[in-house]
Amino acid sequence: MKRLSGWDAVLLYSETPNVHMHTLKIAVIELDPDRRDFDIDAFRRVIHSRLYKLDPFCYQLVDIPMKFHHPMWRENCDVDLTYHIRPWRLPAPGGRRELDEAIGQIASTPLDRSRPLWEMYFVEGLANNRIAVVGKIHHALADGVAAANLLARGMDLAPEPATGRNRYAPDPAPSKAELVRSAFGDHLRQLGRIPRTVRYTAEGLGRVRRSNRKLSPQLTRPFTPPPTFMNHMITPERKFATATLALADIKETGKALGVTINDMVLALSAGALRKLLLRYDGKAEPLLASVPVSFDFSPERISGNYFTGMLVALPCDIEDPLERVQLAHDNAVDAKESHQLLGPELVSRWSAYFPPAPAEALFRWLASRDGQNKVLNLPISNVPGPREHGRVGGALVTEIYSVGPLTAGSGLNITVWSYVDQLNVSVLSDGITVDDPHEVTDAILDDFVELRRAAGLSEKLTVVESAMAQA
């Protein structure tokens, strides 16, 4: 047994009937001519053989009586792979649109908390002799870095360790008395950590007061984001869209403009959102994005959440693409410095003291409000994925997409994952924010072409292999 950290628990408490807190990982897999018989039963056997190194797949949530403390993970429990790994078949022609629509349907339902908090969907019917595996995992279980490491363990990115380790004995369920005693002891330990947490907070506030850094000229205290078409009480329905760019094109453009890949992601998002703001709202103002920043990049970590959200102003009001890139870069630098001054672990440290019942009530209230999000407009993530191709059961993984959850009052999420030579963009929306989430991905692609034109680079983009794009 181990207890959820305060930050893990907050991600659990923030889930409501219309705010689902699972993340999605999508792998497109090419079947060799001699592996066309690779079906869901074969895939279940592959996952079963790897459970010994996919520890979080065996975690089961255990609530504490009377919500006396944060829940715990029962680390070794029985896993019914027939339940957790499910079949799905796409309609013809089995291209990007069909797969994206299926992923939206998969994302629209919450995970069952009485079981380990993950599901996988074995998707057949994809064009060009491909299949897809859609993984749905609760954010309380793993953040982006942990999920990337978990994904690498699930693929054949390293030689198999010695056999004989793929069996385990399920842990017995704890008694209520054991749970209460453990919770009481942990509360005492947390009380002992309060002086260090207060000191960490005071030091951060002191650094901020002495600094002349601001969030941005447009968005100053109290950092209230503007109301937009994407900020409202979200619906339980989810819609999903993807796009693929060549990582080489992104790097070439970033090098020509003197900015990073992360700056490029923010600038392209700002340009795309500008188009949508003008279309839906008739005006484009600077937006406030929450950009996850990890403070534990250990390649061995496969569970838990060690990140915080850095608030970055998006220059959606700027028409000129080159000026927009430069301002996105400057705003990101300012936000990063302010974030470091305050202390990257500030929120996660204080979250240990969030009482479960009031926290759940607060998030239910926030999720039921039909108004703008007072903290941010949307989350935007950029996560570096594997730099070499992986395999599952010997079959080549050609593409990987990922997306985080929607948050209360924010009907859009943009997540970018790089994989080998690809920069893969995923967009998640609720049922009413946009007519079609491909409006967002199309706008990102259009903005990239406009940016390269303005930078004097070729408007013809490198073609990267994408089974979904070919269909």
Side-chain angles (χ1 to χ4, degrees), residues 124-147:
E124 298 179 280
L126 195 61
N128 303 314
N129 302 314
R130 313 287 171 111
I131 59 170
V133 174
V134 180
K136 188 160 83 170
I137 184 169
H138 203 287
H139 211 322
L141 204 57
D143 59 16
V145 171

Side-chain angles (χ1 to χ4, degrees), residues 173-237:
S175 67
K176 291 184 178 180
E178 290 172 329
L179 291 172
V180 172
R181 282 197 301 269
S182 173
F184 185 77
D186 193 66
H187 277 310
L188 293 178
R189 285 188 290 272
Q190 291 295 343
L191 287 173
R193 297 188 183 108
I194 287 179
R196 280 179 291 172
T197 303
V198 171
R199 184 166 59 250
Y200 184 88
T201 305
E203 291 171 350
L205 292 174
R207 289 191 295 266
V208 170
R209 281 196 299 268
R210 293 189 296 271
S211 172
N212 60 1
R213 286 291 180 187
K214 302 293 181 185
L215 180 66
S216 76
Q218 301 94 337
L219 296 168
T220 54
R221 297 183 186 279
F223 307 151
T224 302
T228 73
F229 71 96
M230 71 188 79
N231 299 120
H232 50 79
M233 185 175 71
I234 63 175
T235 68
E237 180 189 359

